[in-house]
Amino acid sequence: MKYRNLGKSGLRVSCLGLGTWVTFGSQISDETAESVLSIAYERGINLFDTAEVYASGKAEKTLGNVLKSKGWRRSSYVVTTKIYWGGQAETERGLSRKHIIEEIVRAMTYVIDRGMALYWGTSRWSAVEIMEAYSVARQFNLVAPVCEQAEYHLFQRHKVESQLPTLYHHIGVGAVTWSPLACGLITGKYEERVPENCRASIKGYQWLKEKVQSKDGQHQQAKVKELQPLATRLGCTVAQLAIAWCLRSEGISSVLLGVSSVEQLLENLGAVQVLAQLTAPVLQEMEALLGNKPTTKKESRA
């Protein structure tokens, strides 16, 4: 496993983290969750991500119970969670002081000063909002965010490649990205139909089923098939190639994996070895195939 700084902070995190969205407390059993978490830790993953809303709170509980039962040194791993959509009551969601915060930067500083967290970051914030938070922190001598969690994969590129690098260089905010396989679309499992027991067939994820069956979804799946010969040439799966491709981007601290089995986890971990094979010619070949590289303002004016 390779390790990187979380943004430009001193915290070292594994370049691949383990996410719990959809899987923990929902798609997989607690026993499978424990097996996945154990293998991930043994293979060097030290970043585990969850959120209060995942599986209506069950994901956090499952993750916490497994970590407690393992007895691993608390200093040997990092747990990240996200807050906003807490419960059904008016006082259980949002960012009010009753729920968690009223003024975000000041409240996060309060939490860190009292040892309840060591760092804080944002999730799905715009570049402007992140800069505003940083400016508030500088103005009032508060703690600034160190990372932004954003969706990033072969077909979702603009924010991570066009906006976040500037934040990384100017204020040290790194990226923790999620959905490197586009919710499974890049694995090719949706090519013929939506399989049972996959994310797109779970209650509440009808939007994902509609997405993969849409015109754009069909186009993306065709692109995935075109990547297969390149993956074969490199001696890896398309999934490993796609995850390694995410890792190549500057300013990315960690890429979160979402897996439903130990076998899937082990396959995804192989992406670390593929990263070294992503030479300039290979990346150019992928860009030519994808045809969706974001253009910066400077490039669009040229």
Side-chain angles (χ1 to χ4, degrees), residues 130-281:
I130 296 169
M131 274 302 304
E132 183 178 356
Y134 176 79
S135 298
V136 168
R138 289 292 298 272
Q139 181 179 359
F140 297 105
N141 195 30
L142 303 172
V143 180
V146 299
C147 64
E148 156 67 7
Q149 192 173 118
E151 182 179 4
Y152 184 52
H153 50 74
L154 295 171
F155 308 113
Q156 181 82 327
R157 306 178 56 177
H158 179 72
K159 180 178 180 179
V160 171
E161 295 184 24
S162 298
Q163 299 177 4
L164 295 189
T166 300
L167 295 180
Y168 174 70
H169 288 295
H170 290 182
I171 63 175
V173 170
V176 175
T177 66
W178 54 278
S179 199
L181 300 178
C183 293
L185 184 146
I186 294 174
T187 65
K189 64 183 178 184
Y190 299 125
E191 183 178 344
E192 296 181 0
R193 61 182 180 84
V194 175
E196 295 181 6
N197 301 321
C198 72
R199 294 189 181 193
S201 63
I202 296 176
K203 183 180 179 181
Y205 288 85
Q206 179 65 28
W207 60 268
L208 178 55
K209 184 176 182 179
E210 293 172 355
K211 181 178 179 180
V212 299
Q213 294 179 334
S214 68
K215 185 176 180 180
D216 282 345
Q218 296 297 317
H219 174 72
Q220 291 169 1
Q221 290 179 68
K223 291 291 184 182
V224 171
K225 290 184 68 174
E226 291 179 45
L227 281 171
Q228 184 59 62
L230 174 59
T232 300
R233 199 168 79 232
L234 296 178
C236 65
T237 65
V238 172
Q240 290 170 331
L241 176 61
I243 295 169
W245 179 89
C246 290
L247 286 170
R248 94 215 182 281
S249 294
E250 184 181 32
I252 288 188
S253 301
S254 188
V255 173
L256 299 176
L257 306 175
V259 301
S260 57
S261 67
V262 169
E263 292 74 21
Q264 187 180 3
L265 172 65
L266 293 174
E267 178 191 351
N268 290 356
L269 289 175
V272 177
Q273 280 67 50
V274 179
L275 182 58
Q277 300 184 67
L278 297 188
T279 60

Side-chain angles (χ1 to χ4, degrees), residues 95-97 101-109 136 140 142:
L95 296 175
S96 69
R97 182 172 295 175
I101 57 178
E102 181 171 287
E103 199 287 301
I104 299 173
V105 181
R106 192 176 298 280
M108 289 296 105
T109 300
V136 168
F140 297 105
L142 303 172

Side-chain angles (χ1 to χ4, degrees), residues 82-98:
K82 294 173 289 297
I83 50 176
Y84 188 83
W85 295 285
Q88 299 301 314
E90 286 297 311
T91 55
E92 295 176 330
R93 59 179 182 268
L95 296 175
S96 69
R97 182 172 295 175
K98 167 67 177 175

